[in-house]
Amino acid sequence: MICYNKTKNYIIVDKPFGISSQADKSGDKDLMSLTADMLAANGEPNSLWLIHRLDRVVGGLIVFARNEKYAALLSEAAAGNNLVKEYLAVVNGACDSGEMIDYLYKDARLSKSFVVKSKRNGTKEARLEYQCVKTIRLGDKNVSLVKIRLHTGRFHQI
């Protein structure tokens, strides 16, 4: 179920969609716990530090540090935009390529982010580039495969 590549200092795990990156209030098994359990079952140290997250509905690669030193180094790299965060998404309609810069307001109570028209207290700038890879006709609709590169890692940014 979990495919991974590991070293002494970090592990990269392919997170399937439908699983949260770390424990949440749902109580469902999460990727961090599953990975730690797998390491322990193989007789390996199972302490992990989460470097970044992917939403439950998103699949992709997650990086866990395996010690505090690498947790600090990788977290600094992620914060300084030294890690490339790219995604592929299927969207309704035909698209083009470009850049999006928005201000997002996170409503922690609802666990949602909202785009707002201008910068105000509690908002954060969100920037991404997108490139249309291919558009096809599916029935009576167009759908497009879009490559997305995040320049910021905001909550529910995409």
Side-chain angles (χ1 to χ4, degrees):
M1 179 176 167
I2 299 174
C3 301
Y4 66 93
N5 181 13
K6 65 181 177 169
T7 71
K8 178 178 149 188
N9 297 310
Y10 63 89
I11 183 168
I12 299 172
V13 182
D14 187 4
K15 183 186 101 52
F17 70 89
I19 296 176
S20 64
S21 297
Q22 67 185 119
D24 63 15
K25 60 186 172 191
S26 73
D28 296 341
K29 270 297 195 175
D30 60 278
L31 187 70
M32 191 169 185
S33 299
L34 291 168
T35 303
D37 292 349
M38 179 193 61
L39 291 169
N42 289 325
E44 297 186 45
N46 66 343
S47 295
L48 297 172
W49 286 259
L50 185 64
I51 304 305
H52 64 99
R53 295 170 187 81
L54 292 175
D55 292 339
R56 181 185 291 261
V57 297
V58 176
L61 300 179
I62 293 274
V63 178
F64 295 108
R66 297 188 72 185
N67 57 59
E68 286 187 61
K69 177 182 176 185
Y70 266 75
L73 289 170
L74 291 169
S75 293
E76 185 179 322
N81 289 324
N82 293 323
L83 294 179
V84 175
K85 300 171 216 157
E86 289 187 340
Y87 300 82
L88 291 173
V90 176
V91 299
N92 288 322
C95 66
D96 53 7
S97 299
E99 180 179 42
M100 295 178 78
I101 301 172
D102 292 300
Y103 290 101
L104 297 181
Y105 174 76
K106 179 181 175 182
D107 186 327
R109 188 177 52 82
L110 297 175
S111 193
K112 290 187 178 188
S113 283
F114 300 93
V115 175
V116 296
K117 293 181 190 244
S118 60
K119 187 175 185 174
R120 66 179 196 221
N121 194 21
T123 63
K124 292 185 177 180
E125 184 183 87
R127 284 189 319 112
L128 62 80
E129 289 176 62
Y130 61 96
Q131 177 184 6
C132 187
V133 176
K134 184 167 183 110
T135 299
I136 63 168
R137 191 88 178 146
L138 192 60
D140 62 344
K141 298 179 183 177
N142 286 325
V143 293
S144 299
L145 178 65
V146 182
K147 180 178 173 182
I148 300 165
R149 176 177 277 191
L150 296 183
H151 294 288
T152 55
R154 305 295 182 220
F155 179 77
H156 291 175
Q157 179 176 343
I158 296 174

